[in-house]
Amino acid sequence: MEAWRRQLDEPAAAFRIAKAGPAHVATLKTFEPPLSALEGRRFEGARRRAKRLWFPTDDGELVLLVHLMTAGRLRYLLPAEKGPKTPALQLVFEGGARLVLTEAGSKKRAGVWLLTPDALEEELAHLGPEALGIGTDALAAICEQESRRLHSLLRDQRVIAGIGRAWANEILHHARLSPYALSKDLSRTDVDRLAEAIDVELERGLELRERGANDTRTYRVHTKLGEPCYVCGAPIARVDFEEHTIYYCPDCQTGGRVLKDRRLSRLLR
Ligand SMILES: [Zn+2]
């Protein structure tokens, strides 16, 4: 996400917005003020906290907030560049450049909100501390608060902001911790390793994204079922947990144990 923000910061502020829209009905989450209220205004740049990106207008009155979820992509297209036929959101700048949100697949999960700065603040107040650079002490305090399975805890944006399901897989593998381990059971050394893994993996992701690497090159564990673990060579395993699929190395993370399916649908039966 930080890589997106850096890429968009300058171009988003370069020109006034000539035409705001269209936006997909499932993507635009707010109606008042209308999207057209952006027309004639200029963004100050791109800001970010955790997985939310936002663009404040330079008059201080409006903020366009974007949450890409897993499949959303936000691109700045030059006047001559071809764009998608049906973007989830499009803003056309004076001079013809465009800011375009697309979402792969049929499920529309990415969201766009047009807010006042006060409403944005309210929205962000529910986010936990930023994952990158969290450090051992803050992480230890979080792990102590309630006993949660690590994969689920890392993905909870109210607890730690900025880690999605893919990076939860990469981070837990790097820390050699089981995705099902309970946060309260971690030793101080485990927490040290987890804090370090968060920084190393998120930094690695950021660097690769900035160099334009795709998902296949970026992830080493996530979606690598059956491929050799980059540390020990054992095949990567997969298990369904809540509404997510977890990828892990049984040798590095669970002492050779195969994790059991804990899908919500199965637990509720
Ligand atoms: Zn391994």
Side-chain angles (χ1 to χ4, degrees):
M1 289 305 303
E2 180 55 20
W4 292 104
R5 191 202 65 76
R6 288 183 201 174
Q7 271 177 25
L8 294 171
D9 190 38
E10 274 186 36
F15 298 98
R16 281 180 196 288
I17 297 154
K19 171 113 182 63
H24 193 281
V25 297
T27 308
L28 184 64
K29 312 285 187 188
T30 50
F31 303 97
E32 195 49 53
L35 205 54
S36 59
L38 282 173
E39 291 169 5
R41 299 183 206 248
R42 189 197 288 255
F43 289 132
E44 200 176 80
R47 308 281 177 267
R48 179 192 73 93
R49 180 134 169 247
K51 295 162 85 176
R52 287 156 181 79
L53 273 177
W54 67 89
F55 303 87
T57 57
D58 66 359
D59 56 14
E61 288 185 12
L62 294 170
V63 183
L64 184 76
L65 171 69
V66 180
H67 199 314
L68 296 173
M69 301 303 287
T70 44
R73 297 285 178 269
L74 199 53
R75 288 193 298 154
Y76 184 84
L77 302 172
L78 296 170
E81 262 181 288
K82 268 203 169 172
K85 280 205 189 83
T86 52
L89 169 77
Q90 173 167 280
L91 301 182
V92 184
F93 295 98
E94 284 176 2
R98 286 167 294 160
L99 186 66
V100 171
L101 170 66
T102 54
E103 193 167 20
S106 55
K107 284 180 187 155
K108 295 294 171 222
R109 291 195 171 145
V112 171
W113 293 256
L114 187 59
L115 304 167
T116 62
D118 283 350
L120 174 74
E121 206 135 293
E122 177 77 8
E123 181 77 23
L124 297 176
H126 302 290
L127 277 182
E130 187 75 19
L132 188 60
I134 190 154
T136 307
D137 290 340
L139 189 60
I142 286 168
C143 289
E144 291 273 299
Q145 270 164 24
E146 50 176 332
S147 215
R148 297 269 302 272
R149 297 202 185 273
L150 292 181
H151 199 273
S152 156
L153 180 117
L154 289 181
R155 280 189 285 101
D156 188 340
Q157 303 300 309
R158 290 161 305 173
V159 178
I160 305 172
I163 302 174
R165 63 197 173 119
W167 289 102
N169 287 328
E170 299 295 325
I171 288 165
L172 288 170
H173 179 275
H174 188 117
R176 304 193 306 279
L177 290 168
S178 167
Y180 282 9
L182 291 168
S183 57
K184 271 197 178 166
D185 293 345
L186 296 193
S187 67
R188 186 69 188 191
T189 353
D190 290 337
V191 177
D192 276 343
R193 270 204 330 278
L194 184 55
E196 197 210 315
I198 289 174
D199 285 352
V200 172
E201 286 299 318
L202 293 182
E203 287 283 5
R204 187 175 69 80
L206 193 54
E207 265 172 42
L208 283 166
R209 292 281 185 210
E210 283 190 332
R211 279 193 263 138
N214 58 17
D215 286 358
T216 317
R217 286 211 31 224
T218 303
Y219 301 131
R220 299 188 288 188
V221 181
H222 182 67
T223 70
K224 304 293 181 186
L225 178 68
E227 292 181 33
C229 163
Y230 69 89
V231 175
C232 74
I236 295 294
R238 160 177 99 178
V239 65
D240 288 316
F241 173 64
E242 293 174 350
E243 75 280 29
H244 294 276
T245 301
I246 294 177
Y247 294 85
Y248 67 102
C249 171
D251 276 25
C252 292
Q253 293 175 261
T254 59
R257 268 185 314 120
V258 170
L259 297 177
K260 292 217 180 72
D261 186 336
R262 285 178 186 264
R263 264 174 300 186
L264 283 181
S265 55
R266 277 190 45 149
L267 295 174
L268 292 173
R269 241 177 244 160

